[in-house]
């Protein structure tokens, strides 16, 4: 009776849960494992034009309430992920998958997107405007002028279904300003949020990751309130054609329920997937369905975005 099926960017998925870019998505083997789990789909590791080794290790650390990472966009390069996705279009024509990408410069981003545009890829594309971990490269989406310029240029030639991965914003004025920009474009979705950038975790008087003297993106339980706030702030402000993916602090079915209540159409799991493995999808699916059954909700549209306020 209870369905957690969803639609995003015009495509249908039988489960609204999926991985967050960065977790279980570096290789074809990892992507295939997510595909064959109960997750509704997968997103690839953010692809740059060419292979990148990323930052020196150790660059990811689980910590009690979440994780800290400064991976530095290690990935196999666009062709690797695109080839795999094109292969899947032949073998799994009824499913839709997500390609995450960004260039190391605006020119490279355009080069990548032009290649995707020219390819036969017919899934969803997530442009990552929020990586906090490449030394010397700020998170693009914190610079509203650059973000608007990039989106303006992209939509002059790009016609495939595109969304953007956002960093968390922390100020109501920034929600307003960012939403006003995003509403100018035919985006299919925004994904809120990437890690909270440049946190510091200390153990025995020492940092726990090597790059950037220990500064890294924070994920997991620490970030749920920030993630929910961003999901809901954009749900309130964006035109209805721009859907929301909720990411951040999803440990349980209740967390996924809250993301949907705040307006998310799809929910991504990052740190919990890293810590628990693929079994997390099954557990969180069952927990979410149990909450919905208890409340008498049959589908996620019955409560999506219906967060109640106080009088
Ligand atoms: C990384 O590779 O550094 C993480 C990617 C991201 O946060 O966007």
């Amino acid at each position: 009776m209870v369905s957690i099926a969803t639609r995003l960017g015009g495509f249908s998925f039988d489960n609204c849960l999926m991985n967050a870019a960065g977790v279980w998505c570096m290789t074809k083997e990892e992507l295939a494992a997510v595909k064959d789990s109960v997750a509704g789909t997968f997103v690839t590791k953010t692809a740059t034009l060419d292979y990148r080794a990323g930052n020196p290790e150790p660059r990811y650390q689980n910590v009690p309430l979440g994780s800290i990472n400064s991976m530095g966009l290690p990935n196999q390069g666009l062709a690797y992920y695109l080839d795999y996705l094109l292969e899947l279009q032949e073998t799994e024509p009824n499913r839709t998958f997500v390609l995450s990408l960004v260039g190391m410069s605006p020119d490279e981003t355009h080069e990548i997107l032009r290649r995707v545009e020219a390819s036969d890829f017919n899934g969803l594309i997530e442009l990552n405007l929020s990586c906090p971990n490449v030394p010397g490269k700020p998170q693009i989406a914190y610079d509203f002028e650059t973000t608007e310029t990039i989106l303006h240029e992209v939509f002059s030639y790009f016609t495939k279904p595109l969304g953007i991965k956002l960093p968390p914003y922390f100020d109501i004025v920034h929600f307003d300003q960012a939403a006003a920009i995003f509403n100018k474009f035919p985006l299919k979705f925004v994904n809120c949020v990437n890690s909270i950038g440049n946190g510091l975790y200390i153990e025995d008087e020492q940092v726990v990751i090597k790059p950037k003297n220990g500064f890294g993106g924070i994920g997991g339980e620490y970030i749920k309130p920030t993630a929910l706030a961003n999901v809901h702030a954009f749900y309130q402000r964006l035109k209805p054609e721009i859907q929301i993916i909720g990411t951040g602090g999803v440990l349980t079915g209740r967390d996924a329920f809250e993301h949907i209540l705040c307006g998310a159409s799809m929910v991504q799991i990052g740190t919990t997937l890293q810590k628990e493995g693929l079994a997390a999808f099954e557990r969180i699916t069952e927990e979410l369905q149990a909450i919905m059954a208890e409340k008498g909700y049959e589908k996620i549209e019955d409560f999506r975005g219906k967060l109640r306020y106080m009088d």
Side-chain angles (χ1 to χ4, degrees):
M1 275 302 274
V2 171
S3 164
I4 58 167
T6 193
R7 284 183 66 77
L8 184 75
F11 298 100
S12 298
F13 303 89
D14 60 14
N15 190 322
C16 64
L17 304 178
M18 63 183 291
N19 68 306
V23 184
W24 277 87
C25 59
M26 191 73 82
T27 63
K28 293 176 193 180
E29 290 72 25
E30 288 181 347
L31 291 164
V34 176
K35 170 179 74 68
D36 295 334
S37 75
V38 302
T41 182
F42 66 67
V43 58
T44 66
K45 175 65 185 168
T46 299
T48 49
L49 191 55
D50 300 314
Y51 167 87
R52 276 177 61 83
N55 292 340
E57 296 186 3
R59 56 194 184 182
Y60 176 96
Q61 191 65 50
N62 287 325
V63 295
L65 296 181
S67 62
I68 182 166
N69 90 84
S70 182
M71 302 296 288
L73 291 178
N75 76 95
Q76 312 288 340
L78 175 70
Y80 177 94
Y81 301 107
L82 198 51
D83 286 351
Y84 180 55
L85 288 163
L86 292 173
E87 204 178 294
L88 287 183
Q89 277 177 204
E90 301 296 318
T91 55
E92 313 241 6
N94 298 323
R95 292 190 68 185
T96 302
F97 302 101
V98 188
L99 171 62
S100 171
L101 53 82
V102 75
M104 300 308 294
S105 65
D107 282 352
E108 188 183 313
T109 295
H110 292 309
E111 172 68 24
I112 294 170
L113 284 170
R114 284 184 197 280
R115 288 194 193 192
V116 175
E117 176 75 8
S119 77
D120 289 331
F121 179 59
N122 63 13
L124 288 163
I125 298 100
E126 178 174 286
L127 173 60
N128 183 355
L129 296 180
S130 50
C131 178
N133 303 328
V134 181
K137 305 263 182 208
Q139 291 165 84
I140 298 166
Y142 282 150
D143 177 342
F144 290 143
E145 211 179 306
T146 301
T147 297
E148 183 163 3
T149 302
I150 290 176
L151 291 176
H152 181 74
E153 290 168 355
V154 165
F155 284 112
S156 69
Y157 61 86
F158 199 76
T159 61
K160 295 188 176 183
L162 179 84
I164 48 178
K165 177 89 173 265
L166 297 175
Y169 297 101
F170 302 95
D171 194 292
I172 299 296
V173 171
H174 292 160
F175 291 138
D176 292 341
Q177 292 172 339
I181 292 167
F182 304 150
N183 276 331
K184 293 182 188 174
F185 300 101
L187 288 163
K188 294 294 182 200
F189 64 87
V190 299
N191 184 345
C192 309
V193 295
N194 205 325
S195 56
I196 295 183
N198 296 302
L200 201 51
Y201 192 89
I202 298 169
E203 239 167 36
D204 296 332
E205 300 182 25
Q206 195 179 26
V207 300
V208 296
I209 55 172
K210 186 170 179 182
K212 294 171 66 180
N213 288 339
F215 284 74
I218 304 296
E221 209 170 331
Y222 296 109
I223 78 166
K224 188 178 79 168
T226 297
L228 293 177
N230 277 259
V231 168
H232 197 57
F234 284 109
Y235 183 75
Q236 290 171 311
R237 287 166 177 77
L238 293 179
K239 56 190 180 184
E241 304 92 283
I242 306 181
Q243 292 178 271
I244 320 281
I245 299 178
T247 306
V250 179
L251 280 74
T252 66
R254 180 186 158 143
D255 301 324
F257 181 88
E258 290 177 3
H259 269 272
I260 297 165
L261 193 66
C262 286
S265 293
M266 182 74 97
V267 177
Q268 294 188 342
I269 304 174
T271 299
T272 298
L273 183 58
Q274 181 68 36
K275 287 185 171 181
E276 187 177 332
L278 296 167
F281 286 125
E282 213 154 321
R283 176 182 60 77
I284 296 171
T285 295
E286 284 166 13
E287 291 171 0
L288 175 57
Q289 285 172 326
I291 292 169
M292 288 170 62
E294 192 187 310
K295 291 175 178 286
Y297 296 136
E298 291 178 359
K299 51 190 188 312
I300 69 171
E301 288 74 23
D302 292 345
F303 64 99
R304 191 180 59 229
K306 295 188 178 155
L307 178 65
R308 290 200 304 266
Y309 308 130
M310 291 179 165
D311 292 332

